[in-house]
Amino acid sequence: MGSTFMGLETSKRGLYTQQSALYTTGHNISNANTLGYSRQRVNMEATLGYPGTGLNAPKIPGHLGTGVQAQSVQRIRDSFVDTQYRQESNKLGYWDSRSQAITQMEDVLNEPSDYGLAKSMNEFWKSLQDLSVNPENGGARSVVVQRGIAVADSFNYLSKSISQIQENAGKEIGISLKDVNSILEQIASINEQIQAIEPNGYMPNDLYDVRDTLLDELSTYFPIETSSVKSGGNSLAIAEGSVTVSLKLKDGTSLKLIDGKNFAQLRNSGASESDGVTPKSAIEGFHIVRLDSNGNDVPLNNNWTDAGTAVTQNINSFSDLGKLKSLVNSYGQVTGDPTAPVKGLYPDMLAKLDKMAEAFAEEFNKVHMGDPADSTKYPQGSDIYGNQGEAFFINKDDNSGAGITAKNIYISSDIVKDPGKVVASDSKPGDIEPGNGKFALVLANMKFASLGELGNVSAQTYFEGLIGQLGVDGQQATRLAFNSATLQQAVTERRASVSSVSLDEEMTNMIIFQQAYNASARMITVVDETLDKIINGMGRAGL
């Protein structure tokens, strides 16, 4: 037979277990709105029956149950959905950043509008047409000069503004790397806490949630892969252990960033600010370091041995996934190709604007000055004084007509001071014909001239092509960002259906566990009354 008090012990276990379930329900309800929290449940199991096994064990009919106990408190999580979520976060991080970069550039270019470069060039051509009608009019000549200045200013503005956006992208890369390094350190710290708790047989569910939230955040910067390492000791079989986190590269290999409580830090391998992460020029790649006891960088090999010098992971080995690579693709990266040493959204646009400014200015100067060696294509004209034309557009850095870019293009200071030097007459130099405006029309018709340096299209068409391509790229980035956000939202909802706290469900559980608790308490009362009858009621006959 079992103990006289066996019923009390069985019910007491029921009380404790249901109480634990109620506490867990309360914990779930309290964290219903906590970011990254996963609902938890108490895994209950029946305690060992009575009697135990062995030759000397008591012999009774049947095997009596001895109650229940809380085996563990487990969070409800689906690792497969977590992996899907992080994959979609990679894509969303990349395309969202890409879309923002293109939008910023579209805002600067401001096309089509009444204030962009295209409008400035149109007004410049129109002023030359007006000059052809009134070549003696000083006002018409001044308008040509002012419209020319407007074209140069537009080039200067675009070059300066895009350079500033590029610089901001560089700063954002630095901030992103600092954020990544902070996340790596935090995950390693949580790993250390988990390694200390799990061997005692506990499940640090809340730490798991915090770590997963950090991993979700890390996955927006680049693709990651994780693996678990058991903590050992008396860890439960369902304990998740510490995680090893690696950056997944394009060729399928990986770069380890976290191993248990140890972590590496990412550094920019090219020229950078003193913080080691904010780039000063096009990015070559990244390398990993560890921090010594004084907080100084110690370069690491990919296998985490001290390297002595930085081992650069070339940027081309990174997949086009995640915010970090998107920022690099916008800011500019080293290609290793001598013909195009740097590529990127901003440097490419700056290079195209420079190419356009140079081709446009050089061709206009050739027409304006004329070329005796090629008088068929570039006949000479004369200004209002009968003089040969001079370079209309110059490089304002050295006042020459060479090396003109979008950044330095400007109008010759001589022409700005004296608009009469604008060549409007097709008379030969030395023949003064102030009323002759035919050459101004030749200059105006340059609007339609095909320029070999621009692919045999006019400067105007070339610029319209840049704007059109940017619009197409912007639409693609916006569409893919939207698609990625939609897919991520779908995965988020699927994950929420598994892990989030449903107050309706928790209220139902609360009633279930409360009633079970009440029933266990009532059982104790019943056993108590039974024992009372035995202890106080038996053997008192006749009293």
Side-chain angles (χ1 to χ4, degrees):
M1 290 296 294
S3 165
T4 306
F5 302 105
M6 180 177 171
L8 285 175
E9 183 63 25
T10 300
S11 299
K12 186 191 76 175
R13 289 173 180 166
L15 278 179
Y16 285 163
T17 304
Q18 303 307 326
Q19 194 174 38
S20 297
L22 277 171
Y23 289 160
T24 302
T25 301
H27 187 55
N28 286 341
I29 293 172
S30 300
N31 287 283
N33 297 316
T34 301
L35 179 66
Y37 179 80
S38 305
R39 67 189 174 94
Q40 299 175 11
R41 73 178 176 205
V42 174
N43 293 323
M44 301 181 192
E45 66 176 6
T47 50
L48 291 175
Y50 179 84
T53 56
L55 293 175
N56 296 324
K59 303 297 182 186
I60 62 172
H63 199 224
L64 288 177
T66 57
V68 65
Q69 66 178 0
Q71 189 265 342
S72 63
V73 180
Q74 183 181 13
R75 66 176 186 150
I76 310 301
R77 197 89 179 184
D78 187 333
S79 59
F80 176 72
V81 176
D82 285 341
T83 303
Q84 278 189 315
Y85 179 87
R86 287 163 193 159
Q87 288 172 346
E88 296 304 328
S89 294
N90 296 157
K91 299 173 189 170
L92 178 60
Y94 182 86
W95 288 112
D96 190 47
S97 177
R98 182 75 172 178
S99 176
Q100 289 180 20
I102 293 177
T103 299
Q104 287 179 336
M105 199 151 64
E106 287 177 331
D107 290 343
V108 169
L109 291 169
N110 197 25
E111 296 288 352
S113 74
D114 292 336
Y115 308 100
L117 177 59
K119 182 69 174 179
S120 297
M121 295 186 78
N122 275 331
E123 291 184 344
F124 179 59
W125 302 128
K126 186 173 182 302
S127 69
L128 287 167
Q129 290 176 337
D130 294 342
L131 179 63
S132 70
V133 178
N134 299 299
E136 295 174 289
N137 189 319
R141 288 180 174 275
S142 295
V143 169
V144 169
V145 172
Q146 292 305 315
R147 296 288 163 77
I149 291 174
V151 170
D153 283 345
S154 296
F155 272 115
N156 298 161
Y157 169 78
L158 293 181
S159 178
K160 183 179 179 182
S161 299
I162 294 173
S163 296
Q164 286 177 339
I165 298 174
Q166 184 185 22
E167 186 179 343
N168 292 340
K171 291 178 181 175
E172 193 169 353
I173 289 172
I175 293 170
S176 297
L177 282 175
K178 288 177 183 175
D179 196 23
V180 165
N181 289 334
S182 173
I183 292 172
L184 296 177
E185 185 174 0
Q186 291 177 64
I187 293 175
S189 174
I190 293 173
N191 272 344
E192 186 174 13
Q193 294 177 58
I194 290 172
Q195 286 174 334
I197 294 173
E198 283 185 342
N200 297 302
Y202 300 125
M203 293 278 288
N205 294 307
D206 297 331
L207 288 177
Y208 295 154
D209 285 340
V210 174
R211 186 175 64 186
D212 278 332
T213 301
L214 291 170
L215 288 172
D216 289 346
E217 191 176 348
L218 188 63
S219 67
T220 64
Y221 289 103
F222 43 69
I224 60 172
E225 59 182 13
T226 61
S227 58
S228 298
V229 179
K230 294 295 182 184
S231 298
N234 292 323
S235 300
L236 298 174
I238 57 174
E240 299 182 18
S242 60
V243 292
T244 299
V245 182
S246 302
L247 192 162
K248 195 172 181 181
L249 300 172
K250 188 163 58 178
D251 61 0
T253 60
S254 57
L255 181 64
K256 188 166 63 175
L257 299 176
I258 299 175
D259 187 1
K261 64 181 181 181
N262 301 312
F263 62 96
Q265 299 272 276
L266 280 173
R267 295 285 185 267
N268 179 16
S269 294
S272 62
E273 303 287 351
S274 56
D275 58 9
V277 292
T278 306
K280 281 184 176 178
S281 60
I283 292 179
E284 299 175 18
F286 301 104
H287 64 273
I288 56 174
V289 301
R290 67 174 177 84
L291 301 179
D292 64 14
S293 57
N294 296 320
N296 298 318
D297 289 354
V298 178
L300 294 175
N301 285 311
N302 290 352
N303 59 5
W304 277 34
T305 57
D306 290 352
T309 57
V311 180
T312 300
Q313 197 69 48
N314 193 285
I315 192 64
N316 293 321
S317 64
F318 287 68
S319 305
D320 283 340
L321 292 169
K323 180 180 177 181
L324 184 61
K325 184 64 188 306
S326 181
L327 286 170
V328 172
N329 286 350
S330 298
Y331 177 77
Q333 59 179 290
V334 175
T335 64
D337 180 0
T339 60
V342 177
K343 71 174 182 179
L345 182 65
Y346 299 134
D348 286 354
M349 180 57 77
L350 286 171
K352 288 173 182 173
L353 285 174
D354 287 344
K355 182 179 177 182
M356 175 183 166
E358 182 181 22
F360 162 74
E362 286 188 352
E363 183 68 13
F364 192 90
N365 286 343
K366 282 182 182 176
V367 176
H368 191 253
M369 293 187 295
D371 184 359
D374 189 4
S375 58
T376 303
K377 188 174 181 180
Y378 300 110
Q380 285 187 305
S382 60
D383 62 18
I384 200 168
Y385 309 109
N387 298 323
Q388 181 184 351
E390 58 184 78
F392 188 88
F393 290 104
I394 60 164
N395 174 349
K396 64 182 177 184
D397 293 335
D398 57 10
N399 289 323
S400 73
I404 293 176
T405 64
K407 182 181 178 182
N408 62 32
I409 185 173
Y410 206 65
I411 311 300
S412 165
S413 57
D414 291 341
I415 294 177
V416 172
K417 292 174 184 173
D418 184 2
K421 292 188 175 181
V422 174
V423 175
S425 170
D426 65 350
S427 61
K428 299 294 181 186
D431 297 337
I432 303 175
E433 294 182 6
N436 183 345
K438 293 181 180 178
F439 203 82
L441 198 58
V442 173
L443 290 172
N445 287 336
M446 230 202 81
K447 174 180 181 180
F448 308 104
S450 298
L451 305 179
E453 296 82 354
L454 301 183
N456 294 321
V457 297
S458 67
Q460 200 95 357
T461 303
Y462 181 80
F463 185 62
E464 289 170 358
L466 292 184
I467 299 301
Q469 185 60 49
L470 186 65
V472 171
D473 292 344
Q475 282 184 336
Q476 182 196 35
T478 302
R479 184 177 63 254
L480 290 174
F482 176 79
N483 291 345
S484 300
T486 303
L487 290 172
Q488 192 199 43
Q489 181 61 29
V491 178
T492 301
E493 291 173 359
R494 197 179 315 149
R495 182 159 73 169
S497 70
V498 175
S499 302
S500 69
V501 176
S502 165
L503 290 178
D504 293 341
E505 185 178 345
E506 296 303 327
M507 292 299 288
T508 304
N509 287 339
M510 187 171 65
I511 293 171
I512 292 172
F513 298 139
Q514 182 190 19
Q515 294 299 346
Y517 183 89
N518 291 344
S520 294
R522 179 64 60 88
M523 191 63 200
I524 289 176
T525 303
V526 169
V527 174
D528 179 56
E529 290 176 353
T530 304
L531 293 175
D532 179 65
K533 178 60 70 180
I534 294 172
I535 295 169
N536 298 319
M538 291 178 67
R540 292 171 60 87
L543 294 179

